[in-house]
Amino acid sequence: MHLLYLDESGHAHDPSTQFFVLAGFSVFERQTHWLEGQIDPVAARFSATDPRSIEFHGSPMRGGQGDWKGVPPQDRVQAVVDILNLLSDRQLKLRVYACVIEKCQSASKKDPLSACKRDPLRRAA
């Protein structure tokens, strides 16, 4: 069995955003131990006492918000690099998924995801 993590950026119905992005990865259930073993040391740099409390979300990391407030920009960037490098680790065998929808190019400007609902095999341009 594979475990799947998905997250979105932007909102399908927010007129102030140009893109809607849905991305994630899947990992075979027995690989999670090895994945944690590589994530935990990165998180421990920011919370030695509770590394599992650290969340690697792009927007707060980029802006230095939430748990990332007070962390120097170069340290936040290095954390992003370290976590993203895990996606290319062949031993982890992560599968990455992403869909980027430019809302102005969508067939339905009110609901850019409606085309995907009608035809789940259609790929976003």
Side-chain angles (χ1 to χ4, degrees):
M1 176 172 70
H2 276 81
L3 303 174
L4 179 65
Y5 173 81
L6 289 174
D7 201 3
E8 81 280 344
S9 179
H11 191 282
H13 303 291
D14 182 356
S16 69
T17 60
Q18 184 178 355
F19 294 94
F20 177 77
V21 179
L22 183 63
F25 67 91
S26 69
V27 61
F28 187 64
E29 63 185 322
R30 290 191 297 243
Q31 292 294 101
T32 58
H33 169 77
W34 306 110
L35 181 58
E36 280 181 319
Q38 293 192 38
I39 291 175
D40 285 350
V42 177
R45 296 192 319 239
F46 306 100
S47 177
T49 57
D50 190 13
R52 300 244 170 114
S53 69
I54 298 297
E55 293 187 11
F56 295 102
H57 287 281
S59 182
M61 291 177 81
R62 183 173 185 259
Q65 303 159 342
D67 291 336
W68 298 96
K69 187 175 184 175
V71 176
Q74 66 272 17
D75 293 344
R76 297 192 315 260
V77 168
Q78 188 59 54
V80 169
V81 168
D82 293 342
I83 294 300
L84 289 177
N85 277 334
L86 297 178
L87 297 175
S88 64
D89 185 321
R90 291 190 176 273
Q91 290 182 326
L92 292 174
K93 299 178 184 172
L94 297 173
R95 292 194 171 106
V96 179
Y97 305 91
C99 177
V100 179
I101 298 171
E102 186 173 9
K103 294 190 307 186
C104 70
Q105 300 296 323
S106 172
S108 171
K109 304 258 192 287
K110 292 190 184 253
D111 184 7
L113 299 178
S114 63
C116 296
K117 292 174 191 170
R118 286 193 308 270
D119 183 3
L121 297 179
R122 180 179 174 195
R123 297 181 187 267

